[in-house]
Amino acid sequence: MKIQLAEHFTYKKLIKFTIPTIIMMIFTSIYGVVDGIFVSNCVGSDAFASVNLIMPILMIFGTVGFMFGTGGSALVSKTIGEGKREKAREYFSMLIYLLIIIGLVFTVMGIVLIKPASVLLGADDAMLENCMIYGKVILIFLVAFILQNAFQSFLIVAEKPTFGLVISVITGVMNMGLDWLFMYVLKMGVLGAGLATGISQLIGGIVPLVFFMRNNGTVLRLTKAKFEGKAIWQACTNGSSEMLTNLSMSLVNMLYNMQLMKYAGSDGVLAYGIIMYVGFLFIGTYLGYSIGTAPIVGFHYGAENTDELKSLLKKSLKLIGISAVIMTGLAEISAKLLASIFVSYSPELLEMTTRAIRLFAISYLISGFNIFASSFFTALNNGAVSALISFSRTLLFQVIAILVLPMILGLDGIWLAIVFAEIFALVVSVFCLVWNNKKYHYMRNFVKCKK
């Protein structure tokens, strides 16, 4: 039986409802890892470093999809909870149409700026061509990528998380298959890597678009809509933390790369790229759970059901705590195995990358709580608090740590920067949860919430 947003969520229902989104995020991470494996092993370490150097720029353009997806889904689910279903459909339609327009504008901007951006990031002559080729191909498919990011959240609002998972599996398998064909069989290099990713994103963006264009049996479908500035602003502010997270990650990744070029050269950039690929596998669990629970929180907030909000918060913190211990342990144990998948051909790189993964993985003990706290306030339509938490963990504290810690700890300071950032951000998250309880009452009689 399909679980609906209006229900009371036991631990079993909560896990069952969010598990498709968790698997979707992990699977998305897996095919991202496969991309990296093929580039590293079929094209070479220089090409792999080039792709990782330009990737933050490409992700900046894609952040708008996360912003409208998370912020818009919070607005739409709250509106549904208030009983205004037709208005929810209008909001949803307006945001999707707006995303298509923005995506087209960003595509043109990106193609114009890709070369000077690559040079600014430090690409030498050997890396510049690969940066240009990969970047332009990905930008051609940018609209689909933006829609894919947005539909991840809206499919959950439509109570279709399993459908979102199926789409992710299909696009992931296609991406991996095309990686093999384009890079291993046809020897197309980074052009093949870009085409494999872009074509799979096309499927991930277009299939949900077609689904929502039809009468699909859910509360959401694309209809006529007028542009409402207030609703757009609310969606943007709600989702500003998610956009800030992705934007900050891109900016911080550039800073990481600059520091690593200084302390370890291109090998450091390569090792950091591997950390990012591996990290997505673990962080994907937190992201998937947070994305999966956000529409539930938004619905019950709109319905003014504070008892369910209390229950959801307590259960979520327990589940995240258990997951944090398990995933950190797995990361520490499997660090060398994961590193060897990418750089088994170089003992020096293998040693550096293994140590980097183990130091970086300490952050998994804490990051889940911060990710959930930010998403929780997004779902409560409080974009300001959500953005504060996100800004703290993904930009402010990381920038400080990346600049300061290497002067004290050398290269290890770069790998540990994320750990220090998450610790200080956790203080911010706890403060925000306690302070805002006066407004939302999600911690009243906290220890007595329903089982």
Side-chain angles (χ1 to χ4, degrees), residues 147-162:
L147 289 176
Q148 182 182 20
N149 291 337
F151 283 135
Q152 287 177 352
S153 296
F154 283 119
L155 283 169
I156 301 167
V157 177
E159 299 172 345
K160 290 287 185 179
T162 303

Side-chain angles (χ1 to χ4, degrees), residues 28 61 80 106 131 140 163 171 212 243 284 335 361 379 415 431 439:
T28 301
F61 288 110
I80 295 171
F106 280 6
C131 288
I140 291 172
F163 181 50
T171 57
F212 283 117
M243 182 176 184
W415 310 134
F431 173 80
K439 179 177 181 180

Side-chain angles (χ1 to χ4, degrees), residues 311-336:
S311 176
L312 286 167
L313 179 59
K314 182 179 179 181
K315 290 179 173 66
S316 295
L317 293 178
K318 284 187 176 181
L319 289 172
I320 289 170
I322 294 169
S323 300
V325 174
I326 294 172
M327 288 192 295
T328 303
L330 286 174
E332 297 292 344
I333 293 170
S334 61
K336 187 170 184 178

